Amino acid sequence: MNRQDWYLNKLGISQYVLRKPNVIQGEAKVEITDNIKLIVISEHYPKEKIFQDILKAIHVTLDDCLILKPAQLLITADKIFSVIWFLDQPIPENWSEQDISSKPIIMTNSLAELASSPQQKRQLWQTLCQYENYFRSY
């Protein structure tokens, strides 16, 4: 027991201990519901205007989009049926080449780089057009 713990104990102050610290760190199990059309894997929540513009162009709302940090992506590729966008992130090492060969996967650099590169925007748009059936609502 360190000095601070000892003082708090003497004053009768209870200290809280987290039972599941992984939940706060973003490593809790994430459920992918049926309405999710796009899963974005990014270290930071995308706040750039280009991200909103892309979602608007493909008719996907934030409610239809699941944004995860790489540590939260604990599910294997074969259990994902949505488009997966790795935003400045590599594909997880535990995903086999066979699993990802048939998955709709988008890989881009950061949104800042994407916004400043017409060639990267064109490539992204071509990829999004290939996956347009995943974004439609029936």
Side-chain angles (χ1 to χ4, degrees):
M1 183 182 294
N2 65 29
R3 185 178 222 157
Q4 182 180 7
D5 294 338
W6 183 81
Y7 280 120
L8 291 172
N9 190 21
K10 288 294 181 188
L11 293 171
I13 298 174
S14 299
Q15 295 186 59
Y16 292 98
V17 178
L18 294 176
R19 291 183 197 159
K20 297 179 183 178
N22 292 346
V23 172
I24 290 185
Q25 295 171 352
E27 296 177 14
K29 182 179 177 184
V30 176
E31 187 175 329
I32 302 172
T33 58
D34 291 339
N35 70 309
I36 299 299
K37 298 177 184 175
L38 178 66
I39 300 171
V40 179
I41 311 300
S42 176
E43 192 60 48
H44 306 287
Y45 188 88
K47 297 177 184 173
E48 293 85 346
K49 184 182 181 313
I50 190 169
F51 181 70
Q52 297 296 329
D53 292 344
I54 292 167
L55 292 183
K56 187 176 181 181
I58 61 175
H59 306 289
V60 173
T61 66
L62 282 175
D63 292 336
D64 301 328
C65 186
L66 180 62
I67 301 169
L68 301 174
K69 291 187 176 205
Q72 292 176 292
L73 188 61
L74 303 175
I75 192 168
T76 57
D78 61 331
K79 301 225 183 338
I80 296 178
F81 303 102
S82 306
V83 176
I84 311 159
W85 181 4
F86 290 94
L87 187 52
D88 205 24
Q89 296 296 316
I91 292 177
E93 293 177 7
N94 65 336
W95 287 18
S96 71
E97 193 68 37
Q98 183 181 7
D99 287 340
I100 62 174
S101 64
S102 63
K103 294 293 174 185
I105 294 177
I106 301 169
M107 295 189 71
T108 63
N109 294 327
S110 69
L111 289 173
E113 289 179 43
L114 186 63
S116 64
S117 171
Q119 182 182 4
Q120 287 183 28
K121 283 191 241 181
R122 189 172 18 263
Q123 287 175 335
L124 174 62
W125 188 252
Q126 289 170 348
T127 306
L128 290 170
C129 287
Q130 289 176 345
Y131 301 142
E132 69 180 319
N133 290 335
Y134 288 90
F135 304 124
R136 289 190 181 164
S137 297
Y138 295 103

